[in-house]
């Protein structure tokens, strides 16, 4: 599995441009350099996306802000022993958490996604 993300800029067509709806610019695509492992069959946050089942329609805009908990904090001996001793070691690994994070963030269908840490 690889992660591919495409960003396409778009705006509402202005009166007199001869088009209705959106005018799109040139999209840019990026593909992960590393393989992304498959995530778990059941997701801890199932049900959280019930209010974001569809994308927004202009002029609405959905901004998603998400704290990833950096691997420098989660995937360390200190994290396993002191900060999160109650969490199974495999669940603190960046490979495991990456799938959960991608599922969680994509489920909110944000127009703008801000990631912290």
């Amino acid at each position: 599995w690889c992660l591919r993300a495409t960003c396409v800029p778009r705006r509402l067509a202005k009166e007199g441009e001869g088009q209705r709806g959106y005018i799109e610019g040139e999209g840019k695509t990026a593909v992960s350099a590393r393989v992304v492992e498959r995530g778990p069959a059941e997701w801890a946050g199932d049900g959280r996306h019930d209010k974001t089942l569809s994308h927004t329609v202009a002029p609405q805009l959905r901004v998603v802000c998400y704290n990833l908990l950096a691997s420098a904090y989660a995937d360390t001996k200190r994290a396993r022993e002191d900060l999160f001793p109650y969490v199974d070691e495999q669940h603190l690994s960046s490979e495991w958490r990456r799938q959960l994070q991608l599922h969680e963030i994509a489920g909110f269908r944000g127009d703008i996604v801000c990631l912290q840490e």
Side-chain angles (χ1 to χ4, degrees):
W1 296 64
C2 291
L3 172 64
R4 182 180 72 185
T6 302
C7 183
V8 179
R10 68 181 186 170
R11 65 175 173 81
L12 281 174
K14 296 177 184 174
E15 192 173 316
E17 288 184 312
Q19 291 182 311
R20 291 181 57 170
Y22 291 102
I23 294 177
E24 293 187 349
E26 181 181 346
K28 299 289 182 182
T29 300
V31 178
S32 63
R34 297 180 354 177
V35 172
V36 179
E37 293 182 18
R38 185 181 191 110
E42 292 184 23
W43 301 93
D46 280 348
R48 263 199 287 245
H49 302 133
D50 291 347
K51 294 189 184 323
T52 57
L53 296 175
S54 62
H55 291 277
T56 58
V57 177
Q60 293 178 334
L61 183 69
R62 182 177 296 133
V63 178
V64 175
C65 187
Y66 197 87
N67 188 319
L68 298 172
L69 180 59
S71 295
Y73 299 120
D75 201 6
T76 64
K77 181 180 178 185
R78 180 170 183 257
R80 290 187 293 275
E81 294 177 1
D82 299 332
L83 301 175
F84 310 109
Y86 51 87
V87 177
D88 188 310
E89 188 172 325
Q90 90 169 29
H91 296 148
L92 290 174
S93 78
S94 58
E95 293 300 320
W96 176 268
R97 292 172 47 249
R98 185 175 294 117
Q99 286 300 314
L100 295 171
Q101 292 164 344
L102 290 171
H103 175 80
E104 181 77 0
I105 293 165
F108 290 118
R109 293 168 182 78
D111 298 300
I112 297 173
V113 177
C114 304
L115 303 177
Q116 299 174 49
E117 214 168 286

